[in-house]
Amino acid sequence: MEPALANANAATLAHTTSPGALARLAALPAAAKMKLGVGLAMLAAAIVAIGLWSSQGDWRVLFANLPDKDGGAVVAQLSQMNVPYRFAEGGSAILVPADKVHEARLKLASAGLPKASVVGFELMDNAKFGQTQTQEHVNLQRALEGELTRTISSLDAVESARVHLALPNQNGFFREEQKPSASVVVMLRPGRSLDPAQLAGIVHLVSSSVPELSPKSVSVLDQSGTLLTEAEDHAGQGLDPTQLQYVSQIEGSYQKRVRELLEPVVGRENLRATVTADIDFSQSDATSEQFKPNQADAKDQTVRSQQLSDAGGSVGAQAAGVPGASSNQPPVPATAPITGASQPLQVAQGGTTGTGGHRETVTNYEVDRTVRVTHNATGLVRRLNAAVVVNHKVSTDTKGKTTSTPLSQEELDKLTTLVQQAIGYDKNRGDSVKVINAPFRVEPATKAEDVPLWQQAWLLDLLRAGAVPAGLTLVALGVLFGLVRPALMSAMARPADDKPAPQLDAVVDDDVNEIRPNMEMPQLLEAPQISRKLEGARMLAKENPTAVANIVRDWVNGDVPV
């Protein structure tokens, strides 16, 4: 029995010591080996791509819209600083990692890059010794243009700007000196525009920064070459933005008065009102002079000038006339009109003057004059037109039925009176107020449509961010389960031609010291069963070492074939 037991154990050990997984992989067909190699390579590539995608981080714009020369200098400097970079679509911007944007800008600024950047008054810090007056004037102009460019570029709607100043040389020998002018070109952000208030602010900023620069001499253009400021020839054809805003404020003020007065009476949703104002922005000056006659009282009269002339001959006055009392009286005082007409003095009665004697007095008085200068105010209201629509009365009975009733004429007259008082109605000015009663159409409330979940912005952004990692993960799983796993399973599987070795249970007879094989042939044992059989062999060696020693001796002597 010993040879049979030895043969059975030898077959079992030979089966347990069959070639390993590497030998089975080496024994695979060439097609299976190729599939396994391609699968492992694709799996490694997918894993590396996922790692690179997760480690690339966020990229931010370092500089945009740089000239080719400056862009090349910036890229060369970034390469020397070992800062990773890449270009946006079309090469219009240079991108760097978000955590290195500020550091890279500071280092590039210290190196003087980009050279086409705007310079301000720091240009005057590097003034060279011995420069001419023309160079100083040009540097001052460049510095002023740079400062204005920086200020205008800081606006929300402006992406970049360019300012050109024309500053003529001031010379006292010219009778008519040239005035400065300015031109501004703005690059607006996509979808943005400048409203009239912002445009007026830019014009005021430039004109206030340059001495003797009139706002009319400032031109503003956009990136398409459209003139945003009005030309001088068309300046008087319409209202400027300030006047339009004033008209809007006046009309809004009147509309607010009407609503605040009528809403408590008819209800907030039952009233619609609008007011149109005709505003006079014309300017006129009037000067008038009025002349008044002299004052009636001689004391209040003001003498402007007085002239007295006396001319006489060599012969003195001689007595004449009939001797007596009349000829001895003094002459009557001369009387002259207040208008200053000159008349010869009356000769004393009873006497005559010498030959050639003459006396003349001229008196001029001031004439009262009044000069009145009138400046008419701008923005006067010439006419107001108010239109008010009031809804019908709406009442609900006890059963919940709603009825609409028009207003009476008396009620409409009362509302018209209230509107007239609210706007300061003036019939002589030509104002008009119209209040009508009409039913309002109630539109059914439209419910806002809920945006589906798959159209939500946050979900779309999440899908865009995770599309690449998810795709790489799916590729890796497909390669793993489609190529690698089948090849490994075929290598680990037992070949079809392998037959299970018979397993003989040794039965030991202590009396005869023999081992009898069991005639049952067990099925192919799995790995856990083989382990149990090995444990049984070890226990047999411990319990009956003599039998095991005989088996090993026969193997060594070659009596039993292995």
Side-chain angles (χ1 to χ4, degrees), residues 182-346:
S183 300
V184 181
V185 180
V186 292
M187 297 288 294
L188 302 179
R189 299 184 185 277
R192 303 294 296 273
S193 61
L194 292 176
D195 55 18
Q198 292 176 329
L199 186 61
I202 293 176
V203 173
H204 183 72
L205 171 68
V206 177
S207 62
S208 301
S209 303
V210 180
E212 298 183 3
L213 177 59
S214 174
K216 297 181 180 180
S217 301
V218 179
S219 302
V220 181
L221 290 80
D222 59 4
Q223 64 268 26
S224 61
T226 303
L227 182 63
L228 303 180
T229 55
E230 296 181 356
E232 295 182 1
D233 297 339
H234 304 280
Q237 296 183 0
L239 301 179
D240 58 16
T242 305
Q243 294 175 348
L244 291 175
Q245 184 179 6
Y246 178 76
V247 173
S248 178
Q249 291 178 354
I250 292 295
E251 294 176 349
S253 175
Y254 285 118
Q255 293 176 9
K256 183 178 179 182
R257 294 180 187 178
V258 173
R259 287 195 300 266
E260 290 180 350
L261 191 61
L262 298 186
E263 281 180 357
V265 179
V266 299
R268 182 175 183 180
E269 299 298 332
N270 298 325
L271 174 68
R272 297 294 184 271
T274 179
V275 178
T276 304
D278 185 6
I279 308 298
D280 183 13
F281 290 100
S282 61
Q283 298 180 356
S284 60
D285 298 336
T287 303
S288 62
E289 294 186 3
Q290 296 180 356
F291 297 89
K292 294 182 179 179
N294 294 329
Q295 301 295 330
D297 193 355
K299 297 180 179 179
D300 297 333
Q301 298 177 3
T302 303
V303 178
R304 180 180 182 182
S305 64
Q306 186 176 14
Q307 181 179 359
L308 176 62
S309 62
D310 186 4
S314 58
V315 180
Q318 297 179 356
V322 179
S326 298
S327 60
N328 294 331
Q329 295 296 327
V332 179
T335 59
I338 59 176
T339 55
S342 61
Q343 292 183 356
L345 297 177
Q346 295 182 357

Side-chain angles (χ1 to χ4, degrees), residues 387-404:
V388 180
V389 181
V390 182
N391 191 15
H392 284 182
K393 287 183 179 180
V394 179
S395 59
T396 305
D397 56 8
T398 57
K399 297 182 180 180
K401 184 179 181 181
T402 303
T403 57
S404 178

Side-chain angles (χ1 to χ4, degrees), residues 352-533:
T352 59
T353 58
T355 303
H358 180 74
R359 178 177 292 181
E360 181 178 335
T361 303
V362 178
T363 304
N364 296 323
Y365 295 93
E366 290 287 353
V367 178
D368 293 340
R369 186 183 65 169
T370 301
V371 179
R372 181 178 291 106
V373 179
T374 304
H375 298 277
N376 292 333
T378 60
L380 297 178
V381 178
R382 289 188 298 191
R383 185 171 57 255
L384 291 176
N385 299 321
V388 180
V389 181
V390 182
N391 191 15
H392 284 182
K393 287 183 179 180
V394 179
S395 59
T396 305
D397 56 8
T398 57
K399 297 182 180 180
K401 184 179 181 181
T402 303
T403 57
S404 178
T405 306
L407 299 178
S408 62
Q409 186 61 37
E410 183 180 0
E411 292 175 336
L412 288 177
D413 294 340
K414 291 181 180 180
L415 295 178
T416 303
T417 304
L418 290 177
V419 175
Q420 291 177 353
Q421 295 297 324
I423 67 173
Y425 177 79
D426 188 358
K427 184 178 180 180
N428 297 329
R429 191 171 56 184
D431 297 347
S432 64
V433 175
K434 188 67 176 179
V435 179
I436 64 174
N437 180 222
F440 287 5
R441 293 185 57 185
V442 180
E443 297 291 341
T446 58
K447 184 179 180 181
E449 297 181 359
D450 296 334
V451 181
L453 180 62
W454 58 274
Q455 291 183 353
Q456 296 288 341
W458 64 270
L459 182 59
L460 295 178
D461 295 339
L462 182 62
L463 292 177
R464 293 190 190 98
V468 175
L472 294 176
T473 303
L474 292 178
V475 171
L477 293 177
V479 171
L480 179 62
F481 290 99
L483 297 177
V484 178
R485 186 175 181 275
L488 293 178
M489 293 298 294
S490 62
M492 296 301 295
R494 185 183 299 276
D497 55 352
D498 289 348
K499 297 180 180 180
Q503 182 72 26
L504 299 178
D505 294 336
V507 179
V508 180
D509 191 356
D510 294 336
D511 297 338
V512 296
N513 197 14
E514 292 181 355
I515 300 177
R516 295 181 290 105
N518 191 1
M519 298 308 297
E520 295 182 0
M521 303 300 292
Q523 298 297 326
L524 182 63
L525 300 179
E526 298 295 335
Q529 296 177 357
I530 294 176
S531 300
R532 289 195 297 270
K533 294 300 182 179

Side-chain angles (χ1 to χ4, degrees), residues 62-63 73-86 94-96 104-105 108 113:
L62 180 64
F63 294 111
V74 169
V75 169
Q77 188 67 24
L78 291 176
S79 301
Q80 295 180 1
M81 296 188 302
N82 296 325
V83 176
Y85 64 90
R86 66 180 185 180
I94 301 176
L95 307 179
V96 297
R105 285 180 180 175
L108 291 174
L113 294 175

Side-chain angles (χ1 to χ4, degrees), residues 121-134:
F121 281 110
E122 65 271 11
L123 183 64
M124 308 302 294
D125 297 337
N126 301 324
K128 298 180 180 179
F129 179 76
Q131 62 182 358
T132 62
Q133 185 178 2
T134 304

